[in-house]
Amino acid sequence: MRLYLVRRLTGSLVTLIGVAVLVFLLLRVLPGDEITARFGIESGSLTPAQRESLERYYGLDQPLVVQFFTWLGSVLTGNFGISVTSGSSVARLIGRALPVTIELAVLSTLIGAVLGVSVGVMAASNPNGFRDGAGQTFGLLGLGIPNFVIASAIIAFLAQRFGYFPAAASYVDFWEDPLINLQQQLYPALTLGVALAAATMRTTRSAFIEAASQDFVRTARGKGLSARRVKWRHVLGNSLTPIVTIVGIQFGYLLGGTIIVEEIFALPGMGRLVLTGISQREYAVVQSSVLVIAALFVVVNLLVDLAYARIDPRVRLT
Amino acid sequence: MSAPVLEVRDLTTVLNLAQGPVEVVRGVSLDVGAGETVGLVGESGCGKTMAMLSVMGLHPQPPAEIVAGEVIVGGRDIRKLSEEERRMVRGAQVAMVYQDPMTSLNPLMRIGDQIGEVLVAHGRSADEARNRTVEILGQVGIPQPRRAAESYPHEYSGGMRQRAMIAMALALHPQVLIADEPTTALDVTIQQQIITLVTDLQQAMGMAVIWVTHDLGVVARVAERILVMYGGHIVERGPTDQVFRDPEHPYTAGLLESIPRVRGAERHPLRQIPGAPPDPTHQPTGCPFHPRCPNAVEKCVSEMPPLTERGGADHAEHWAACWVPPEEWVA
Ligand SMILES: Nc1ncnc2c1ncn2[C@@H]1O[C@H](COP(=O)(O)OP(=O)(O)OP(=O)(O)O)[C@@H](O)[C@H]1O
Ligand code: SF4
Ligand SMILES: [Mg+2]
C-alpha cells in the first residue's frame, strides 16, 4: 500500500510539473507577449530601446528556464499577476470563480452519481425487463439531449410555475445566504446532473450485469444471504471501480467550468472567467485559470486512484 | 439407510435457449441419509453441476429454470417455501462447495468477513460470528486462523481458498454438504489433502456429503453409495462396491473400464468409451446412451429404459436404466 501511495503521488507530481511547463510554454508560443498584452496595439509603436527596457523589466530578456522558475515561484506564492481590464489581481478573480465552479461540480456530480447508480442498479437487476427498458431509455435521452435543451426546459418550467428567473438575480455566495445560493445552484446542477447520470447509469448497468454473473455471487446466494445484501454488497461492490472511474472523470471535467450552463444560469464560474479572459486577451487570467484547473484535475485523479485502492485490495499491490 | 436428510424427486431443469427449452436435468431422484456419503459421477457436461445447483436453487436464472420436481429438506419441499424460508435453508441445512475456488470467493472482502456473513445472515451475533469464524478456520487446517481471517482471497493459494470455502460451507453445521468437484482445480497432492479434510470433518460433524466427481477412484474411497449420471438422467445407482463389482448399466461399465487400476492382479487394457456425451440441444431418442452403446438393441433407439430395481439378494438397492441385462452384453 505504501509503495502504491508513493507511486501515485510521484506520478501526480510529475504530471503537475508537466502541466506547469506546458502552460508556461503555451504562452511563449502564442503570438504576442506580456508587453503586447499590457500595451495592446500601442506596443507596435514602441521604439526598440523602449521595448528592450520593457523586456528587461518583465524579465523577458532572461533565458527561458530562468523565466519559467521565476514564474513558477510567483505562482506557488499565489501571485498570478494582475488582470488588466478589471484591475484586480488574478488570484482574486480565480478565488471568486473557483468556489462557484467547485460547488456546482460537487452538486452535479452528487446528483449524477446517486441518480445514475440507482437507475443503473434498477435496470441491471432484471436485464431486458420493463425497468431495464425504462432505465435504458432514460440513459439514451440523458446522453442524447444537449445540456442547453434541458436547461431551457428547466428555466421555462421555473418561470411558468414559480415566476422564477435564475438569470435575473446576481449570484449570492453560499456563506452570504445558503438558501438563495443553493437555489441558484440547484437548477444548473440538475441540468448537468441528468446528463452525467445517463453516462453513470450505463456504466453501472453493464458493470453490475458483469459482476452479477461471477461465481462468487452464486457463492453469496448459496450462503443464504438476503437478496439485498447480495445485490448491494457483493454485486455492486464489485462494480464500483468503473463507476468511480466515470464519476471521477465527470467531476474533473466539471472543474474546468461549464461554459454553456454557466452562461444560461448566470453563474460567475471558471468557465465564464476563462471565456472572458480569452475574448479580452487576458493572458494572465487564462494562463492561471488553466493551471489551477489542471492542478485540480490532477488532484481528482489522485483521489480516484486512492479510491481504487480502497475498493480493491489487489490494486494496492500494483 | 437412515432417514433421508435430503430427498430429490423427479427434478427437471431446462435451459431456455434461443432454439427453445433444453432439458439438462431430466427427472433426477435421489435420497441422502444422515451422515452418509453419496458419490455422483458422470462425464463432463452430463448435468451434475446443474442438478446440484437446482437442488440449492442456485441454477443460473436465466437461462436455467426448474420445471418439475421436489427438493425435500427436513420434511418440507423447499421449492414451495417463500424466498425468505428458502434462504434460511441455504447455507444452514444444505451447503455447497464449488468447483473453482479461485473465482468462488469475493475478491474484495476479507476471508473472515465472508465466513462471518453466513453466520450473521442466519441470526448469529457479530461477536459469535467472529469467534466461530476463527474456530472453523482452524478446524479446516488453515494456519494462524486469526490472521487468516484478516486476509483477502488473493493472498491465498488455491488449496487454502478451497479450505476457506469449506469453512464457509460448514460454519453452521449443515446436514448436507454438496461438494461439486472441489478438487479438480487443485494440484494432485492438495487434492488428497482436501479429500481427507472433508472426510475427517464429516466424521467429526456427522453431516452427509454428496461428492460430485468424474474421478471414480475418489468415489471408491469415500462413497458408500454411487449415482451415475448420463445425459441429464440418473442411469444407475446402488452401493458403491456392488456397482463397481457388477455394473448394471453399460455406461457405468464403460466408466469403470476407463479407470487405470494399479492395484490388483487383473490388469486390463485401459479403454475409453468411444464418442462424446450428447449435446443437450441434440438429445438422442430412446436411451440417451444408445449412440455410444456397444450393447444397443432396436428398442434402445425408440424407448427410454426406466430406472428399475435389479433383483437378487446381493443386489439390494441397486437400480439401473437399461433394456439389456449384463448377461446379454456383447462387451
Ligand atoms: N449457463 C449455462 N448456459 C448454457 N448452458 C449451460 C450453462 N451451464 C451449463 N450448461 C450446459 O448444461 C449442461 C450440463 O452442464 P453441467 O455443468 O451441469 O455439467 P457437469 O456434469 O457438471 O460437467 P463438469 O463435469 O464439466 O462440471 C452442459 O451441456 C452445459 O453445456
Ligand atoms: S438401454 Fe440400450 S442403449 Fe441404453 S445402455 Fe442399455 S443397452 Fe445401451
Ligand atoms: Mg460441474
Side-chain angles (χ1 to χ4, degrees):
Chain A
M1 182 69 200
R2 188 169 302 153
L3 189 65
Y4 178 81
L5 213 81
V6 169
R7 280 220 186 117
R8 302 300 122 148
L9 278 171
T10 329
S12 301
L13 205 66
V14 170
T15 317
L16 271 178
I17 294 170
V19 164
V21 171
L22 218 68
V23 168
F24 172 80
L25 285 181
L26 205 65
L27 200 77
R28 312 293 127 166
V29 171
L30 288 178
D33 49 25
E34 295 215 50
I35 301 169
T36 333
R38 292 290 141 94
F39 293 87
I41 30 173
E42 281 168 46
S43 64
S45 54
L46 293 171
T47 65
Q50 282 174 315
R51 218 188 146 83
E52 203 175 306
S53 67
L54 277 168
E55 274 180 2
R56 201 169 314 125
Y57 175 75
Y58 285 116
L60 295 179
D61 57 338
Q62 300 285 325
L64 220 52
V65 182
V66 175
Q67 285 186 42
F68 173 73
F69 281 106
T70 320
W71 171 74
L72 194 64
S74 56
V75 162
L76 286 179
T77 51
N79 178 10
F80 291 107
I82 303 289
S83 149
V84 184
T85 24
S86 67
S88 63
S89 80
V90 174
R92 253 193 77 202
L93 290 178
I94 293 180
R96 264 208 309 256
L98 195 58
V100 178
T101 290
I102 291 183
E103 188 183 342
L104 181 61
V106 169
L107 286 176
S108 323
T109 308
L110 270 180
I111 293 172
V114 170
L115 197 62
V117 171
S118 357
V119 178
V121 169
M122 182 193 87
S125 294
N126 182 13
N128 303 323
F130 170 74
R131 291 197 201 175
D132 190 21
Q136 297 232 59
T137 311
F138 165 79
L140 280 178
L141 289 180
L143 284 182
I145 302 177
N147 268 339
F148 67 87
V149 175
I150 298 176
S152 310
I154 289 181
I155 288 183
F157 173 76
L158 289 176
Q160 218 201 0
R161 193 71 197 272
F162 303 110
Y164 172 71
F165 298 90
S170 64
Y171 185 74
V172 179
D173 274 336
F174 185 78
W175 10 90
E176 270 176 65
D177 189 333
L179 269 181
I180 295 188
N181 167 275
L182 279 179
Q183 195 180 29
Q184 289 178 325
Q185 287 266 4
L186 181 66
Y187 303 109
L190 268 177
T191 306
L192 291 167
V194 169
L196 300 183
T200 309
M201 176 261 153
R202 290 163 70 100
T203 305
T204 305
R205 180 182 177 275
S206 61
F208 191 95
I209 289 177
E210 151 94 27
S213 71
Q214 307 263 329
D215 283 353
F216 58 77
V217 174
R218 187 183 58 199
T219 309
R221 292 204 298 128
K223 293 196 285 191
L225 306 185
S226 66
R228 236 222 246 118
R229 183 162 174 101
V230 173
K231 186 159 148 181
W232 295 104
R233 179 79 204 242
H234 292 268
V235 183
L236 189 63
N238 278 276
S239 326
L240 279 183
T241 300
I243 296 175
V244 164
T245 307
I246 182 114
V247 171
I249 290 174
Q250 291 173 342
F251 185 64
Y253 158 81
L254 287 179
L255 288 177
T258 45
I259 292 166
I260 295 173
V261 169
E262 283 178 22
E263 278 301 325
I264 296 178
F265 289 96
L267 288 181
M270 292 302 282
R272 274 180 137 196
L273 185 67
V274 173
L275 194 67
T276 22
I278 291 171
S279 61
Q280 294 172 346
R281 297 186 180 283
E282 289 263 26
Y283 285 117
V285 172
V286 177
Q287 184 183 31
S288 313
S289 304
V290 169
L291 188 67
V292 168
I293 290 168
L296 283 176
F297 202 85
V298 172
V299 171
V300 170
N301 268 324
L302 182 67
L303 291 178
V304 168
D305 277 344
L306 294 181
Y308 288 156
R310 173 114 202 98
I311 294 166
D312 191 340
R314 289 165 299 183
V315 169
R316 294 169 209 163
L317 303 174
T318 53
Chain B
M1 191 179 75
S2 44
V5 284
L6 170 70
E7 271 182 85
V8 177
R9 292 276 155 267
D10 299 318
L11 189 65
T12 301
T13 303
V14 300
L15 290 174
N16 291 307
L17 303 178
Q19 64 264 43
V22 168
E23 286 186 359
V24 285
V25 178
R26 313 176 82 188
V28 164
S29 298
L30 57 93
D31 301 302
V32 182
E36 187 190 25
T37 309
V38 177
L40 177 62
V41 301
E43 284 166 297
S44 193
C46 66
K48 305 182 296 293
T49 297
M50 202 55 86
M52 292 302 106
L53 289 177
S54 302
V55 166
M56 294 285 291
L58 296 177
H59 51 295
Q61 295 167 281
E65 185 189 345
I66 300 176
V67 290
E70 296 173 355
V71 177
I72 298 159
V73 178
R76 299 184 302 173
D77 179 3
I78 57 174
R79 288 193 57 223
K80 298 212 179 82
L81 300 180
S82 70
E83 180 52 37
E84 179 64 15
E85 289 169 313
R86 214 174 5 236
R87 179 175 89 67
M88 296 314 284
V89 173
R90 284 206 285 255
Q93 284 170 272
V94 187
M96 189 156 168
V97 177
Y98 309 87
Q99 200 158 343
D100 189 354
M102 303 314 267
T103 56
S104 295
L105 285 161
N106 184 338
L108 309 186
M109 274 174 85
R110 293 175 200 279
I111 302 269
D113 292 341
Q114 299 194 49
I115 298 172
E117 200 178 36
V118 194
L119 295 149
V120 172
H122 292 275
R124 307 297 189 278
S125 74
D127 263 352
E128 268 180 279
R130 243 190 316 279
N131 294 334
R132 175 74 183 132
T133 296
V134 174
E135 183 192 19
I136 188 84
L137 279 171
Q139 276 177 288
V140 297
I142 290 182
Q144 294 180 286
R146 212 167 286 279
R147 244 190 64 197
E150 300 290 313
S151 312
Y152 288 97
H154 72 265
E155 298 170 87
Y156 272 31
S157 66
M160 282 295 152
R161 285 191 213 196
Q162 200 57 293
R163 281 176 195 265
M165 292 295 300
I166 292 167
M168 203 180 287
L170 300 187
L172 284 159
H173 290 289
Q175 289 153 319
V176 185
L177 173 71
I178 301 175
D180 184 6
E181 308 196 42
T183 62
T184 35
L186 306 173
D187 293 346
V188 188
T189 47
I190 312 289
Q191 284 183 9
Q192 296 310 316
Q193 292 175 12
I194 296 289
I195 294 166
T196 311
L197 174 69
V198 173
T199 40
D200 287 353
L201 288 169
Q202 183 183 13
Q203 304 267 306
M205 295 184 171
M207 76 221 166
V209 175
I210 301 180
W211 201 291
V212 180
T213 179
H214 36 226
D215 186 342
L216 286 167
V218 173
V219 174
R221 242 180 79 192
V222 303
E224 291 133 38
R225 288 193 303 129
I226 181 172
L227 303 163
V228 183
M229 213 172 161
Y230 188 79
H233 296 275
I234 303 276
V235 294
E236 179 161 10
R237 67 163 200 255
T240 309
D241 49 351
Q242 243 179 62
V243 173
F244 271 56
R245 190 168 9 98
D246 297 316
E248 290 276 346
H249 194 284
Y251 177 61
T252 315
L255 283 180
L256 287 168
E257 279 177 5
S258 62
I259 39 170
R261 273 187 220 159
V262 217
R263 263 174 284 162
E266 36 142 4
R267 280 212 173 186
H268 58 85
L270 202 61
R271 269 197 290 170
Q272 293 294 329
I273 307 173
D279 171 358
T281 55
H282 294 96
Q283 302 271 13
T285 55
C287 172
F289 190 54
H290 85 251
R292 302 169 73 188
C293 183
N295 310 310
V297 293
E298 218 168 294
K299 194 180 189 183
C300 305
V301 183
S302 54
E303 269 181 84
M304 169 73 202
L307 200 59
T308 52
E309 187 151 22
R310 301 295 147 142
D314 57 340
H315 278 181
E317 289 292 318
H318 190 166
W319 297 60
C322 178
W323 292 124
V324 183
E327 306 85 72
E328 295 170 25
W329 290 355
V330 294

